[in-house]
Amino acid sequence: MKILGIESSCDECSAAVVEDGKKILSNVIATQIDFHREYNGVVPEIASRLHTEWIISVVREALEKSGLCLGDIDGIAVTNRPGLVGSLLVGVSFAKGAALALGKPLIGVDHIRAHLYAPHLEYDIEYPYLGLLVSGGHTVISRVDGFDSISVMGTTIDDACGEAFDKVAKFYELGYPGGAAIDKLSSRGDPEAFNFPDPSLHKGDHRYDVSYSGLKTAVINQLDQFWNGTSKKSSENIAASFQKAAVGMLIKRVKRAVKDTGIKTVVAGGGVVANSLLRSELTNMNDVKVLFPSISLCTDNGAMIAGLGYHYLSTGITSDLSLNASARVQAFRKKYP
Ligand code: KG4
Ligand code: ZN
């Protein structure tokens, strides 16, 4: 079964064709980074306008690269939540129009679940595993028992991890996009220059939760309080110390989840998983198998949408033409255990 996947939830306009939820026949990703750089962040109005201009050529290129035409496609999967509503609506409207015109099934896909599915495009993974999703909008530690069976164990109680990278980079003008800029600067910085705090969320309901608002405030407003008194207060040192704290917070929660559940496979996804320190710290965890998607499947892409869409379609789950875009995360938080 060949699924066309469309992703337009934020600033990447992407379309892909994936066969049987596994084989990527094409995955075209048109990034809008250059158009948002001067604002140091994604401007929703610019994002949706560019999606409108680009979507037809992105889908056309994805089909051409796959060697197929629209008529060969068995279903059209599209991200319909969560994300920027104007951007989501472009993909959803396009997918609805194409599905109606071609008489093909339409499948609305949750972006977060799709990120957690992305590693399945490259590995054969057995359930259950711990899913770690770290992106610009989400920070989720979950137990995954099936493609649509995800119990959230912990999440951020305020800012997402990538959002904290982006805000710190914006404040100190370290570069755009912020996460990648901090990662690069950190390689030349001293991570001990500042000892930023780790929020003490370890009890009851918050055992696996993280919080980035306090860290962001510490880095932006209280830098001197956490300075070691000797190192230079340079961009490199701020970046490296912040990165160490931001990644350390996640690693601590993941280790706790591994210990509590006894599950020794961790599957990571989302844009922040491109971070070199996060990748090395996860890889170095003792006695735990960690699987990462390659970088092009970590950030937003149509292949993860098409891949997950296949599983819905093959189990008879489709959407009708009332499918709508939603900014909100679908409530799939379950109390764990
Ligand atoms: O998954 P993604 O492309 O979009 C969302 O769904 O949010 O993730 C984008 C996020 C941004 O916050 C970006 O700064 C962050 O991923 N990011 C990184 C790195 N590369 C991208 N954060 C830290 N280190 C990186 N190397
Ligand atoms: Zn994403």
Side-chain angles (χ1 to χ4, degrees):
M1 224 190 276
K2 296 172 193 88
I3 307 292
L4 171 67
I6 296 172
E7 158 62 42
S8 70
S9 66
C10 190
D11 60 340
E12 258 93 38
C13 187
S14 178
V17 180
V18 175
E19 191 171 358
D20 297 337
K22 194 87 190 156
K23 189 173 175 201
I24 301 174
L25 303 182
S26 64
N27 189 23
V28 176
I29 304 170
T31 179
Q32 303 178 354
I33 284 173
D34 288 344
F35 297 82
H36 299 283
R37 179 170 280 116
E38 69 176 289
Y39 308 99
N40 268 310
V42 176
V43 182
E45 181 65 23
I46 294 176
S48 48
R49 279 169 190 260
L50 288 172
H51 284 304
T52 308
E53 285 173 25
W54 292 1
I55 190 133
I56 292 177
S57 47
V58 167
V59 171
R60 189 173 284 149
E61 193 181 332
L63 286 166
E64 274 169 18
K65 287 196 166 145
S66 72
L68 302 171
C69 60
L70 262 181
D72 302 323
I73 296 294
D74 298 295
I76 300 171
V78 62
T79 310
N80 76 308
R81 63 175 183 272
L84 301 170
V85 166
S87 292
L88 286 165
L89 275 172
V90 177
V92 169
S93 307
F94 180 91
K96 280 192 202 178
L100 180 65
L102 296 160
K104 304 279 180 186
L106 173 71
I107 310 128
V109 171
D110 180 293
H111 184 85
I112 298 180
R113 287 171 197 257
H115 267 303
L116 285 171
Y117 182 79
H120 288 265
L121 295 163
E122 298 177 297
Y123 306 98
D124 292 320
I125 311 171
E126 279 179 29
Y127 297 107
Y129 56 80
L130 296 174
L132 173 69
L133 168 65
V134 204
S135 74
H138 313 286
T139 312
V140 178
I141 297 172
S142 55
R143 178 192 161 111
V144 184
D145 287 284
F147 77 91
D148 202 29
S149 174
I150 299 170
S151 319
V152 176
M153 299 172 69
T155 184
T156 177
I157 61 164
D158 39 56
D159 293 349
C161 181
E163 192 181 350
F165 271 88
D166 295 336
K167 284 181 176 166
V168 167
K170 184 173 181 173
F171 183 82
Y172 287 108
E173 298 180 349
L174 302 178
Y176 181 81
I182 288 181
D183 194 356
K184 204 166 158 204
L185 276 175
S186 297
S187 62
R188 289 179 273 122
D190 172 10
E192 310 297 331
F194 302 89
N195 294 306
F196 294 122
D198 180 353
S200 50
L201 290 162
H202 50 265
K203 298 196 186 93
D205 259 8
H206 291 302
R207 191 164 166 74
Y208 311 104
D209 284 344
V210 289
S211 161
Y212 282 100
S213 170
L215 174 60
K216 181 191 69 191
T217 306
V219 178
I220 290 178
N221 301 320
Q222 304 159 335
L223 197 60
D224 284 342
Q225 280 183 39
F226 301 99
W227 183 41
N228 68 7
T230 51
S231 303
K232 253 176 84 183
K233 292 182 194 171
S234 63
S235 298
E236 289 82 357
N237 289 350
I238 294 172
S241 304
F242 162 74
Q243 179 171 278
K244 180 183 161 225
V247 168
M249 210 189 296
L250 286 171
I251 296 294
K252 203 187 248 184
R253 283 13 172 225
V254 170
K255 283 186 175 162
R256 196 175 280 164
V258 167
K259 191 160 173 247
D260 290 354
T261 60
I263 297 174
K264 291 185 182 294
T265 305
V266 175
V267 174
V272 183
V273 170
N275 184 269
S276 53
L277 181 65
L278 180 58
R279 285 178 101 92
S280 69
E281 293 271 311
L282 284 170
T283 308
N284 291 338
M285 283 195 315
N286 277 338
D287 199 23
V288 178
K289 185 165 122 195
V290 184
L291 300 170
F292 306 97
S294 52
I295 303 287
S296 66
L297 293 174
C298 279
T299 48
D300 294 348
N301 66 86
M304 65 184 189
I305 307 301
L308 182 53
Y310 159 80
H311 290 277
Y312 287 115
L313 184 58
S314 55
T315 46
I317 301 168
T318 57
S319 309
D320 60 30
L321 291 175
S322 66
L323 181 72
N324 209 347
S326 165
R328 306 285 300 267
V329 181
Q330 197 196 26
F332 65 99
R333 178 167 186 140
K334 277 190 213 151
K335 220 160 172 207
Y336 189 85

